[in-house]
Amino acid sequence: MRTLTFQRVTFTMGLPLLKRAIQDQVEKTRNFVSRSLVIGEVLSTADMATGVKCGIIYWLFGGAVRNLGGPAHVTQWLQPLQEQKHTGMFAMTERGHGSNVRGIQTEATFDFSAQEFVINTPCKDAEKMYIGNAMYGNYAAVFAQLIIHGRSQGPHCFIVPVRDEHGRLHPGVTVVDMMHKEGLHGVDNGILRFDSVRIPRENLLDKFGSVAPDGQYHSPIKDKSARFNAMLAALTPSRLAVTFQAMGSMKLGLTIAIRYSHSRRQFGPKAREEVKIIEHQTQTLRLMPHLATALALTFASRYAGTLLDEDIFRGKELVSSRPLQALVAGLKAYSTWENVSCLQDCRECTGGMGYMMENQISGLKCDTDVFVTFEGDNVVMLQVVVRELLAQYTKQYEERPVSSLLRNWAESGSDRLRTSFLAFNMDTVSNLTFLLKAVHFRERILQRGLVARIYYKVMTKKEDFFRAWNSCLHHITCLSLAHIHRGFL
Amino acid sequence: MRTLTFQRVTFTMGLPLLKRAIQDQVEKTRNFVSRSLVIGEVLSTADMATGVKCGIIYWLFGGAVRNLGGPAHVTQWLQPLQEQKHTGMFAMTERGHGSNVRGIQTEATFDFSAQEFVINTPCKDAEKMYIGNAMYGNYAAVFAQLIIHGRSQGPHCFIVPVRDEHGRLHPGVTVVDMMHKEGLHGVDNGILRFDSVRIPRENLLDKFGSVAPDGQYHSPIKDKSARFNAMLAALTPSRLAVTFQAMGSMKLGLTIAIRYSHSRRQFGPKAREEVKIIEHQTQTLRLMPHLATALALTFASRYAGTLLDEDIFRGKELVSSRPLQALVAGLKAYSTWENVSCLQDCRECTGGMGYMMENQISGLKCDTDVFVTFEGDNVVMLQVVVRELLAQYTKQYEERPVSSLLRNWAESGSDRLRTSFLAFNMDTVSNLTFLLKAVHFRERILQRGLVARIYYKVMTKKEDFFRAWNSCLHHITCLSLAHIHRGFL
C-alpha cells in the first residue's frame, strides 16, 4: 500500500500542474494559495493517502521552508521539490507534546567553534512522533529549542537531513516505523530520534530568529512567546489545506450516498413497486443538511483562501491578521467534525454496502478521521478561535473603554428585545435576516458572558488564568462554535 | 486474520462455559438468555471478530433452530454445535432486500414426489448477501418463500447444507467471498447462491408453519404477515445480543480513554507542571456522559434479558410481548449509535494515540460500526418501536373508546400545566422526579401528535398508509428516541 502511494505521489508531483504549483509557491505568485488548496481538494478526492502525502511535502515541509526561511532556503529546499530531487517531512509533534507544542524538548544547541547546530533528542518524551513521510523523506523541518550559550530562545525550525537519495539514514538519525493506523495506510508515519546530529548554521530557518556567526541571536520579535506565535501563524495555509481535504472527502461521500439512494429501492405502498430510498423522509433529512454544509464550507473556505492570498501578496505577516487566524482555526475544526458526521451518515444511509471497502465510504471515514486531531486538535482549535475573539474584544475595550462598554450594553438590550419580539412571529423563523440576527445575538451573549466570567475569576477572585480558562472551557467551545456558525451566514 | 479468528472461535466454542451455554439453549435452562448475553459481552471485549462469529453460530444459526424449529431440529443441528461437529450461518438478507426482508425472493418449492424442498435463487437480487461464516460454515439457516402448488405461504426458514466437514461445497451451492470491509476482518462474509438445491422435507424449521407429506400446509397463525412477524419476534434474543456487544465495546473504549486521560499531561499553569488531560473541563464533559450511558445501558439491557428469559421460561411466544419487542428494538438502535458516538469521543480524546491500531480504539470503531445497520437498520428499528407503541395505543383506544380519549385529554392538560409550572423553578431541573415527568410529557405529546397526524392523513385525507407514515418519519424517530430515553429513567 505504501509502495503504491509512493508511486502515486511521485507520479502526481511530476505532473506539470503540480510542478507549476511549487514554482508558484517559490515565486509567491498571486493567488497561489487558493490554487494549491483546490488542487489539494481534488487530489484528496482521487486518493486521500496521496493527497495527504503530497500535502506533507508541499504544505508542511515546503510551507515551513517558504514561510519560516529566507530566499536561500527556498532555493535550496523548496525549489528542488519540483524535480523531485528530494522530499521532506515536518517534525513538530513530540511524544510528550502534541497540542502544547510550545513545550517541545528537542534541542538545537549552537556550536560556535564549528558554526553548527547540534540537534539532539534528550529523552523519550522528546522523540518526534507521527511524522508523515518518515520512511521515505530526505529532509525534515525539525522544531527544536534553540540554545545559545546554555539559554533557550524558544522553538525554531531547522532543516535536518534524514536520509540521502539512496535511502541511507544520516548518521545519528533513528527512524522507527509506527505501522498500523485506522486509515491512511499508504502514509508512512514514524518516530524520529536525533543523537547529536550536526547541521550547518545555515539550516536554521531564520525569518523570525537568526544566529550570527559570532553566536549573536537576533529576532524581529522580542517576546519568546509572541515569536513562536508568529511562526505558527505563518503555517496557517497548511491548516486551511486540511479543510479543503475534508471538503473533498464530504463531496465524494455524498456523491456516492446520494446516488445510491436514488437507485436503491426498499419498502413501498402495498402491492406496488418499492420506492427509492431517497424518498424515505429520514434518508433525505439525514443527507441534505450535509450537502448544504459542504456547499457552505466551499464558499467559506475559498473566502479564507482569498484572504490568505491577499495578506501574503501584500507581504503582511499572518500573525497580525487575528480574525483570519480565528477563521482558519474555526474552519479546520468545524469542517473536519462535519466530515466525520457526514461520512457516518453516508455510511449508514447506504446500509451494508456502505460497510464494504469497495464502495469507498468506509475507507474515506478511516482515512479522514485523523483530521479532527492532527494539525491542531479540534478542541484546541476552538480555543484558538476564542482567544482571537477575546483579543479583539479586549483591544476594542481598551481603545474606547467607556463608550464601547456602554455601546455593548445598549446593543445587548436592543438585541434581547428584538429577538424575543421576533420569536412570537412564526413566519420570521425561516427568514434569513432573523436567523442572522439570532446567531449574532447568541454569539454576543456568549462572548460577553465569557468575558465577565473570566474577568471575575482572574481579577476579583485572583484565580490563576489557566484554572479560570479551564473552568470555562465548555462555555468557550460553545462560543467558538457559535462564532463559526455565524461566519457561514 | 480469518484463520486466526477461526482458531479463536474453535478454541472459544470448545471452552466448558460455552459448551454449557449451548446445552442450556438446547434444554432452555432457566435464565439461559441472560447468561449467554453476558458471555457474548465479555467475549466481544476480548476480540470483537471472535464475539461476532460466535454470535453468528450461537444466536443466529443456533437461535433460528431453537426458536423456529422443533425438538428433532434441535437434536440434529443445535446439539452438535457443542462438539463442533459442524457450524452454521444465517441467510436472511438478500441483495434486493435487506431492511424489507418480507420481500425476499429465494424460493423453496415443495416437490411432493421426492418429499423434498428445492431451494433456488431465481435472480441476482435474490442472492443471499453479507452472510457471516459463509466461507467456513457447514449449514445455513436460509429464509425463502415457501411455495406449495405454485402458491407462496410467505418466508420460512430451512436448513440447507453448504459444505461438508472437509470443506467441499454441496452441489448447487455457490459461495462468493465478499472480501474487504471497514472492520471485522476476521469475519468471513459471503454471497450465497442456490441452483435448485434439494433438501429433505424435514429441513423446514416448522414451528410456525409445516408441510405434511401430502403437501398440506399447516400453521398456527393464519395471516401470512402475522406469521412472519411471529418468526421475526422469535429471533429477538439475537437482537439483544448486539446491544450487549456494543456495551462491551463502549466499556473497553472508555477504559482505555479514561485511563489515558489520567496519565497524559498537556498544558498547565505558567511555570508549573502540566495537568492531566482529564482535568481539562472538556475532556471530562466528553467522556463522563458516555460512561453514564454505558452504565444505564447495562441495567436496561440486563432487565430486557430478564424479561426475555421469563417469557421463554413460561413458554410465551415473544410476538405477544409487544412492549418487550419495542424495548429490544429501541435498545439495539440506541446502544449501537451510542457506541459509535462513544468510541469517536474516546478516539478523539486520546489524540494521535487513538488513531494508532495498537491502542485498540480505532479497531473497535471499525469493528462495531456495522452494528448500526446489521440485525435491523437502526432507522428501521426506531420505526419498529413506534409501531409497537401505536399498537398498544390503538388497542387501549379500541377497548375503551370514549373514556380513554377523555382520560388522555385530561392527562394532557394537567401535564402541560405541571410542566410549565415546574419549569419556572430552576431547582427542579436537576430533580429526578421533574426529569421523569418531563420525558414522560415529551413522549406523550409526541405520541398523541403522531396519532392525530396519521389519523388525519389516512382517515380524513384518504392517503395511502405508507405515504402517510413516510411523511411522518421524522416525527416517528423523535417519538421513538423519546420513548427510549424515558425507558432509561
Side-chain angles (χ1 to χ4, degrees), chain B residues 55 58 62 68 73 86 165 177 190 244 262 294-295 307 423-424 438 440 483 486:
Chain B
Y58 179 91
L68 304 177
H73 299 123
H86 60 238
E165 65 270 35
D177 192 342
F244 276 78
H262 273 95
L295 288 171
L307 293 183
F424 280 107
H440 263 284
H483 174 74
R486 200 256 302 159

Side-chain angles (χ1 to χ4, degrees), chain B residues 389-433:
Chain B
L389 287 181
L390 292 194
Q392 291 168 50
Y393 185 91
T394 316
K395 207 176 149 222
Q396 164 193 320
Y397 183 76
E398 278 168 357
E399 278 169 3
R400 305 167 293 172
V402 184
S403 64
S404 98
L405 189 69
L406 282 173
R407 197 167 58 80
N408 278 338
W409 275 106
E411 270 181 13
S412 158
S414 59
D415 276 346
R416 206 167 291 155
L417 202 67
R418 241 177 296 145
T419 311
S420 47
F421 170 71
L422 286 171
F424 280 107
N425 188 339
M426 291 295 279
D427 294 343
T428 50
V429 173
S430 59
N431 180 300
L432 193 61
T433 317

Side-chain angles (χ1 to χ4, degrees), chain B residues 170-209:
Chain B
H170 192 81
V173 178
T174 309
V175 183
V176 180
D177 192 342
M178 288 186 75
M179 306 288 292
H180 306 295
K181 308 184 294 289
E182 180 177 338
L184 291 178
H185 305 301
V187 179
D188 44 303
N189 291 85
I191 295 171
L192 292 183
R193 264 199 307 269
F194 304 103
D195 182 12
S196 298
V197 176
R198 291 184 161 267
I199 56 168
R201 190 177 58 89
E202 292 74 21
N203 283 24
L204 164 64
L205 300 180
D206 58 357
K207 187 166 174 188
F208 294 100

Side-chain angles (χ1 to χ4, degrees), chain A residues 208-220:
Chain A
F208 295 101
S210 59
V211 179
D214 64 356
Q216 271 293 329
Y217 178 75
H218 178 265
S219 167

